[in-house]
Amino acid sequence: MTGGAQHRQAEAGARYDVFHTDCPARDVVDHVTSRWGVWVLISLRSSDLRFYELRQSIQGISEKMLAQTLRALVQDGLVWREVEPTTPPQVTYGLTEFGRDVGEPLTELFDRITRRLSPRSAG
């Protein structure tokens, strides 16, 4: 799948001033680090998932928030979306190369945090 506009510009060697409010890279960072963006990228790290599978894997996210988060990540070129023309349509999501690249440090951060935390008792 093709990347978003921000990713294509970065590939062309464009430099961004991420501290400027009009910087397109800033939007991508905002989407990645949003409350749900991180979890979508981490959920898709191992395999492509359908919408309902993503919703089940990320406890606490509403359908509306998942749809909004996915829309932003697809637009940014981090996630691809494939619709199978069935009734009802089956929509599958996965990470683009850009999404894997961006998601890798998030996954490492998540793994480091979970290794350091003491296990909580179920309850």
Side-chain angles (χ1 to χ4, degrees):
M1 296 273 157
T2 60
Q6 293 83 3
H7 182 53
R8 285 192 300 274
Q9 287 178 339
E11 288 177 338
R15 299 292 295 169
Y16 294 111
D17 180 5
V18 294
F19 296 104
H20 192 278
T21 58
D22 293 337
C23 178
R26 191 171 180 163
D27 289 337
V28 175
V29 171
D30 286 345
H31 296 152
V32 168
T33 60
S34 71
R35 178 174 182 187
W36 301 113
V38 170
W39 300 116
V40 168
L41 293 176
I42 289 173
S43 292
L44 291 172
R45 69 184 170 187
S46 300
S47 65
D48 306 337
L49 297 172
R50 292 205 170 113
F51 184 89
Y52 76 90
E53 293 171 323
L54 261 173
R55 175 120 192 275
Q56 289 177 338
S57 72
I58 306 170
Q59 292 185 5
I61 192 169
S62 68
E63 283 188 29
K64 178 182 176 182
M65 285 309 303
L66 179 57
Q68 288 177 356
T69 302
L70 285 166
R71 193 174 306 115
L73 295 174
V74 167
Q75 184 177 354
D76 292 338
L78 297 163
V79 171
W80 57 260
R81 177 182 189 265
E82 182 180 344
V83 180
E84 296 177 38
T86 58
T87 305
Q90 294 181 341
V91 183
T92 304
Y93 295 89
L95 294 179
T96 63
E97 183 179 337
F98 182 37
R100 285 189 299 275
D101 192 37
V102 169
E104 187 176 325
L106 297 174
T107 298
E108 289 176 18
L109 175 65
F110 175 77
D111 290 344
R112 286 180 185 184
I113 290 170
T114 56
R115 279 194 307 265
R116 293 285 184 151
L117 290 176
S118 58
R120 293 183 181 183
S121 58

